[in-house]
Amino acid sequence: MNDNSGEVRGAADTAKIEKDSRIAVLLFPALILLGGLCGMLLPQAFLGFAGWINPLLMVIMFCMGLTLTLPDFSLVVKNPLPVLGGVVAQFVVMPTMGWLVAKLLHLDPALAAGLILVGCAPGGTASNVVSYLARGNVALSVAMTSVSTLIAPALTPFLALWLAGQYMPVDAGSMAVSVVQIVLIPVILGLVLRMLLNRWVLKVTGVLPWISVIAITFVVTIIVAGSAQAILTAGLLVLVAVILHNGLGLLLGYGVGVLMRVPEDARRTMAIEVGMQNSGLAGGLAKQYFTPEAALPAAVFSVWHNLSGALVAAYWRRKKAQKVEI
């Protein structure tokens, strides 16, 4: 009896966590848009919070670490090809497409560097739940996000130096240190805390998506406030660039899955993981190492990729349901 009641309680907790995560992600685009509007309409109210960007990003990464367990990495050992293939696609497709879109649209140096930096960032923090909503392979999504995040301190600065360095000077060494501080250390601390205090962490897991949503919303608000003037002059062009960048990432990510002949659920996950970026990190780095204008593509990407991810997830979820009924 006790065992059964424990299983029922565990299933109820899991369902609640999934519900909370789903609501958070579905509300994410609306909250990001609201934050962006606040930053645009009341820039002076948020300019004084510029120093909060990196600490807030560290909170987001720490929350991500708290959601991870060592078994989440087991897929890398048991079936490494989809994980490694997807991560390679992440760091090849998005930086390359960012560079290509910047060339095609003749973006000015700051905007081009900012767009490319978005492409050089690791996977987005909301991609796991979007994969769940799209009936993708959630285990693969978690593994890809984790691996891309852990190797970002090496690849993000290198790729930024190589591609964005054509437009603006890139201090790759300092950027690598920043990524370690902002991403790697908080994630590892969260993972270790989860291992040591698993029972306590499970009690607060449902709150973590909300903490992340509030933090990234505030980050976008601050970034937009610092780029308000640039939005007035280049906002539409940046939106077109971001839509193209994100769309190509989703399409080519799915195409990589087709070429690798992985199942449909894994193809969907690869599309989402490749197309959704940690744009908050990119915005923080752009603001720190480039200019406020260079952070504009990341701010717009934060809104758009969550909206497009929700739309793609809704389409795939409905499509699969129709197939089952037939």
Side-chain angles (χ1 to χ4, degrees), residues 30-306:
L31 291 174
I32 291 289
L33 182 59
L34 178 61
L37 287 174
C38 290
M40 184 66 190
L41 298 176
L42 303 168
Q44 295 300 323
F46 299 98
L47 290 177
F49 294 98
W52 288 37
I53 293 178
N54 286 352
L56 286 169
L57 290 171
M58 293 170 72
V59 169
I60 296 165
M61 292 296 99
F62 179 68
C63 289
M64 176 184 172
L66 288 175
T67 65
L68 299 176
T69 61
L70 290 180
D72 291 330
F73 297 91
S74 62
L75 189 63
V76 181
V77 178
K78 294 178 180 177
N79 191 14
L81 188 59
V83 179
L84 298 180
V87 171
V88 169
Q90 168 94 47
F91 284 109
V92 171
V93 169
M94 292 305 280
T96 304
M97 291 303 102
W99 175 84
L100 181 61
V101 170
K103 286 286 187 183
L104 289 175
L105 297 181
H106 303 289
L107 298 182
D108 69 42
L111 294 177
L115 186 68
I116 292 169
L117 187 56
V118 170
C120 298
T125 54
S127 59
N128 304 151
V129 181
V130 173
S131 291
Y132 166 77
L133 294 174
R135 300 188 189 275
N137 187 324
V138 179
L140 174 61
S141 177
V142 171
M144 282 185 61
T145 300
S146 304
V147 172
S148 68
T149 297
L150 292 176
I151 64 177
L155 288 185
T156 296
F158 169 75
L159 292 169
L161 176 63
W162 181 29
L163 297 173
Q166 301 175 29
Y167 294 94
M168 298 190 75
V170 178
D171 187 347
S174 297
M175 186 179 290
V177 172
S178 294
V179 178
V180 169
Q181 294 172 340
I182 297 170
V183 175
L184 193 59
I185 293 176
V187 168
I188 292 176
L189 286 176
L191 178 60
V192 171
L193 187 62
R194 175 69 181 267
M195 293 171 59
L196 297 177
L197 302 172
N198 183 59
R199 185 173 300 179
W200 179 85
V201 172
L202 285 175
K203 294 180 180 180
V204 299
T205 303
V207 181
L208 297 180
W210 293 102
I211 295 175
S212 296
V213 165
I214 292 170
I216 193 63
T217 299
F218 200 32
V219 168
V220 171
T221 303
I222 297 169
I223 292 174
V224 170
S227 309
Q229 287 300 118
I231 293 175
L232 294 176
T233 57
L236 181 59
L237 181 61
V238 172
L239 178 61
V240 172
V242 163
I243 291 174
L244 286 174
H245 194 194
N246 172 244
L248 288 169
L250 292 169
L251 181 63
L252 294 176
Y254 188 89
V256 170
V258 173
L259 291 175
M260 294 180 65
R261 298 184 178 180
V262 297
E264 172 64 17
D265 62 343
R267 295 177 187 179
R268 296 179 180 187
T269 292
M270 292 175 77
I272 292 165
E273 286 295 326
V274 172
M276 296 187 70
Q277 299 293 92
N278 191 336
S279 48
L281 174 64
L285 293 175
K287 193 172 182 64
Q288 182 176 352
Y289 290 101
F290 296 152
T291 65
E293 185 183 13
L296 180 57
V300 176
F301 202 99
S302 293
V303 179
W304 175 255
H305 81 145
N306 284 285

